């Protein structure tokens, strides 16, 4: 008898068919108030789930007594209560490799757009205000040859460093718990404390995962350490930044500007000043939003789910200790 899998995100047809060949599949394009009851009912017999964005915590897990594997179609996994999954012996897998280059492209686009005031001046020109040579007050700042500080030099951070050093001749600083010899050798990256990085960088790029340690990592004190003409780029998670403190810093000139793809609340409320401040480029969380990347993420998430439910090792298992919990609960033959 096939195991039961519940999808809670729309996936390409080839991915859906690959899962149907292996499992009994219940598919939801998304979960909302209209179908939440049916979704929770489906969890009752589910051995695996696959999707993203939905918060998966202890309450939903109570409705899924047979659940063995959760496969997220994302690199980040802060939507999951990892401790609750582990306690129940439920394996969580993610798709970090598929998003690396696409997200690094987007992060660098934010950096360039913020530095050269691309969105602000495109809107200014299209409004009919461009009637003569652009005045100095509308000038931006150079990117080439400047100093980029990357907070969290993981897969995406390293890809950003490569673009900065090899493409734009930038000096690269980074923070990381341990040294990154490859980045130091290939891109001349220099390791710094967070405070030193903030003080030296012309651009500060946040690339850390969300955790209790990184929540509001950048607040009023940290913004005050940055150069007044520095620009903050956040391509990680919104809660890494104290958003009211950032708004105040942008309003009072503590820093020059910000390029943001993530926010404390998503979607960002319509009344947020981050939409109206001229020195902000605000995007709707599109780091991995290309057709090719999203399809690749779904395919890898499906491969992860198939392998994990077959008892095979998955390299991107977030909580391998869940396997030990499951083994401890399995009676000896």
């Amino acid at each position: 008898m096939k195991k039961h899998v519940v999808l809670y995100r729309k996936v390409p047809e080839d991915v859906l068919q690959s899962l149907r060949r292996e499992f009994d599949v219940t598919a939801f394009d998304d979960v909302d108030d209209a179908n939440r009851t049916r979704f929770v009912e489906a969890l009752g017999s589910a051995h695996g789930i696959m999707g993203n964005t939905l918060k998966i915590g202890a309450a939903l897990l109570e409705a899924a007594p047979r659940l063995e594997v959760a496969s997220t179609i994302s690199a980040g996994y802060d939507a999951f209560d990892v401790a609750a999954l582990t306690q129940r012996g439920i394996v969580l897998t993610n798709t970090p490799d598929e998003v690396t280059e696409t997200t690094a492209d987007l992060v660098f686009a934010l950096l360039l757009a913020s530095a050269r005031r691309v969105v602000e001046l495109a809107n200014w020109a299209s409004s009919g205000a461009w009637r003569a040579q652009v005045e100095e007050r509308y000038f931006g700042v150079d990117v080439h040859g400047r100093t980029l500080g990357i907070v969290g030099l993981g897969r995406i951070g390293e890809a950003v460093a490569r673009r900065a050093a090899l493409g734009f001749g930038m000096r690269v600083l980074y923070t990381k718990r341990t040294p990154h010899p490859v980045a130091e050798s290939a891109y001349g990256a220099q390791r710094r404390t967070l405070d030193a990085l903030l003080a030296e960088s012309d651009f500060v790029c946040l690339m850390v995962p969300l955790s209790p340690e990184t929540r509001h990592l950048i607040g009023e004190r940290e913004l005050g350490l940055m150069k007044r003409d520095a620009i903050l780029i956040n391509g990680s998670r919104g809660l890494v930044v104290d958003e009211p403190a950032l708004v105040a810093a942008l309003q009072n000139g503590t820093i020059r500007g910000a390029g943001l793809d993530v926010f404390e609340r998503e979607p960002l409320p319509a009344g947020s000043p981050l939409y109206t401040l001229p020195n902000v480029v605000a995007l709707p969380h599109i780091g991995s939003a290309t057709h090719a990347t999203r399809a690749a993420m779904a395919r890898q998430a499906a491969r992860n789910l198939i392998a994990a439910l077959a008892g095979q090792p998955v390299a991107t298992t977030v909580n391998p200790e869940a396997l030990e919990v499951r083994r401890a609960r399995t009676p000896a033959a």
Side-chain angles (χ1 to χ4, degrees), residues 98-155:
E98 286 67 30
V99 307
T100 298
E101 296 300 333
T102 298
T103 304
D105 283 350
L106 190 279
V107 166
F108 223 86
L110 273 173
L111 192 156
L112 289 166
S114 301
R116 298 303 301 271
R117 302 169 66 174
V118 169
V119 176
E120 175 192 359
L121 294 180
N123 291 336
W124 176 81
S126 64
S127 73
W130 184 25
R131 298 189 179 92
Q133 185 175 351
V134 176
E135 301 172 17
E136 187 174 339
R137 62 192 174 110
Y138 292 118
F139 287 3
V141 296
D142 285 329
V143 172
H144 65 275
R146 306 296 292 278
T147 298
L148 171 64
I150 303 175
V151 181
L153 200 65
R155 292 177 177 86

Side-chain angles (χ1 to χ4, degrees), residues 13 32 34 92 104 139 298:
E13 185 62 25
D32 54 27
L92 173 63
F139 287 3

